[in-house]
Amino acid sequence: MADFPYDCVGFDLDGTLLDTAWDLGHALNHALTSIGRATIPLEDVRSLIGGGTGQMLRNGMARTGGVDEAILPDLTERLVAYYEANIARHTRLYPGGEAMLNDLAARGVTLAVATNKREALAIRLFDTLGLTHRFATIIGGDTLGPDRAKPKPAMLHEMIRRTGANRTAFVGDTTYDVGAARAAGLPVVAVSFGFCDQPPQDLGADAVIDHFDALIPTLQQIGHNPPFPSASHTL
């Protein structure tokens, strides 16, 4: 166990650890129909997720008639209220996620979350699913204040500060995650089963996995044979 190359692994939430698409999709459609817009098929919502709740709503409005900046703040709160009340009706860990988290913990690895979802919503979701205790820290898109969320590196720097880690890797599914990890000088693994806003192989990650069964061996390979200079950077 001692030869594992990282003492902390951080995760994005939506589309990485948890498949939240249906619950987010219902909340998005609730907001859209409240202003007379058409609903978006749930299978199409995945492509709209990324960058936080406000960005998802902006994407949904753009698709159904255009973004109205005047009503966007109030409509965002309407979406959030519905989502909070129905936060885990369909949401689950991706296949292999529980075993992967157990294996990392058994190796003594500290687990953390850095998500552009609001911190209160992230904690409520993890609480509802009984997962909060697994993570040393949960950092949301609003935790550090305005203009600090991914793809900026501030959240990942804070994650490292809070955990006291010496070698950290990050796992995500979008350009927001890869961009933040690159800016923070961290190795990053992309999951192909998430809400990828570009083809997984084009995200710029050090590696792409198709199932959580592959995460630990992939991290071992990257950690011992870093493909890019940034992958061996220690903060």
Side-chain angles (χ1 to χ4, degrees):
M1 301 297 182
D3 66 343
F4 193 72
Y6 302 105
D7 57 355
C8 176
V9 176
F11 295 88
D12 173 53
L13 191 159
D14 296 287
T16 299
L17 276 175
L18 300 176
D19 186 351
T20 55
W22 276 42
D23 287 324
L24 287 171
H26 283 298
L28 174 62
N29 282 332
H30 171 79
L32 292 173
T33 57
S34 74
I35 58 169
R37 298 287 183 90
T39 60
I40 296 173
L42 292 178
E43 59 269 21
D44 293 344
V45 169
R46 294 175 182 275
S47 65
L48 306 179
I49 302 171
T53 305
Q55 185 60 46
M56 179 184 69
L57 179 57
R58 184 181 293 275
N59 293 339
M61 292 182 74
R63 177 164 172 161
T64 58
V67 179
D68 185 341
E69 296 289 347
I71 67 171
L72 188 61
D74 287 343
L75 195 60
T76 299
E77 294 310 311
R78 192 175 305 169
L79 186 158
V80 168
Y82 182 93
Y83 180 63
E84 186 173 12
N86 301 275
I87 200 164
R89 291 182 181 270
H90 305 283
T91 294
R92 298 292 183 272
L93 281 165
Y94 279 104
E98 184 174 7
M100 175 273 295
L101 293 174
N102 288 340
D103 197 345
L104 285 172
R107 294 169 184 268
V109 177
T110 298
L111 306 177
V113 170
T115 171
N116 279 355
K117 186 189 290 292
R118 295 183 186 184
E119 181 183 310
L121 291 176
I123 292 174
R124 180 177 176 85
L125 178 54
F126 282 130
D127 282 349
T128 302
L129 296 175
L131 297 171
T132 305
H133 69 282
R134 290 181 175 271
F135 303 104
T137 187
I138 298 169
I139 301 170
D142 58 343
T143 301
L144 302 180
D147 202 32
R148 304 290 299 282
K150 298 175 292 184
K152 294 188 175 180
M155 295 170 64
L156 302 192
H157 288 155
E158 177 66 9
M159 180 182 73
I160 294 167
R161 187 193 70 78
R162 291 185 181 186
T163 60
N166 292 311
R167 294 203 72 197
T168 301
F170 196 67
V171 184
D173 67 319
T174 67
T175 56
Y176 295 92
D177 302 315
V178 175
R182 287 282 176 246
L186 300 182
V188 56
V189 175
V191 298
S192 66
F193 46 78
F195 306 150
C196 306
D197 53 348
Q198 290 185 11
Q201 298 295 340
D202 294 339
L203 290 172
D206 296 312
V208 178
I209 60 171
D210 299 323
H211 192 282
F212 272 133
D213 289 352
L215 180 60
I216 288 175
T218 298
L219 289 172
Q220 288 174 316
Q221 181 178 12
I222 291 173
H224 294 305
N225 301 285
F228 302 111
S230 62
S232 61
H233 185 70
T234 302
L235 294 177

